[in-house]
Amino acid sequence: MGKLLLVLAFVLTTSLMADEIHWAKNYQEGMAQAQKEHKPVLFIISSHSCKYCLLLDKTTLKDEKVVQKINKNFIAVRSWTDKRDYIPAVLAQNTPGLPGIWFLLPNGDPMFQPLLGYAKKDVFLQALEIVQKEFNTNQKRVKK
């Protein structure tokens, strides 16, 4: 009986963790991981007092398809302005609203202008597809 409960607890914990985005600890670690794994970076600038940031968290970033696509194809990094997390100056200066959703090359260069504000899951999935295709097509631009 004890082994069954242990296995059940493990399966439940594993399935719950599968629905979460694997966020890098901070910007620097995320960029190092992106260079090592040669993946694009999803970098989101947020604030805990921003209703659209929180809405993005509660809906789009909890969607199973979004979570799976991010965890498989991107290195995810989140910086909170109200926690004074590190945000590169060029990105902070070019993010006029929150949330600011950036897609970066592993060297930190932006691939596109940021998506600003709340994005529904279908729009977000479409953006992830476009970024992944661009990244794969233009590997030569990526500095190792």
Side-chain angles (χ1 to χ4, degrees), residues 56-101:
L56 184 71
D57 278 351
K58 291 177 183 178
T59 58
T60 303
L61 298 178
K62 295 289 186 204
D63 180 78
E64 185 178 337
K65 288 181 183 179
V66 171
V67 171
Q68 288 174 355
K69 188 165 285 298
I70 291 171
N71 287 341
K72 180 180 177 186
N73 300 311
F74 294 84
I75 302 301
V77 180
R78 163 71 65 70
S79 287
W80 297 94
T81 59
D82 50 335
K83 285 186 168 183
R84 302 209 189 301
D85 290 342
Y86 175 77
I87 301 169
V90 69
L91 300 181
Q93 293 167 355
N94 289 291
T95 306
L98 296 178
I101 304 166

Side-chain angles (χ1 to χ4, degrees), residues 98-112:
L98 296 178
I101 304 166
W102 288 90
F103 294 100
L104 309 174
L105 295 169
N107 66 4
D109 290 344
M111 293 178 67
F112 304 96

Side-chain angles (χ1 to χ4, degrees), residues 15-29:
S15 66
L16 289 175
M17 291 177 68
D19 294 330
E20 294 289 322
I21 293 173
H22 302 197
W23 296 102
K25 184 178 176 182
N26 57 44
Y27 179 84
Q28 293 81 359
E29 286 189 16

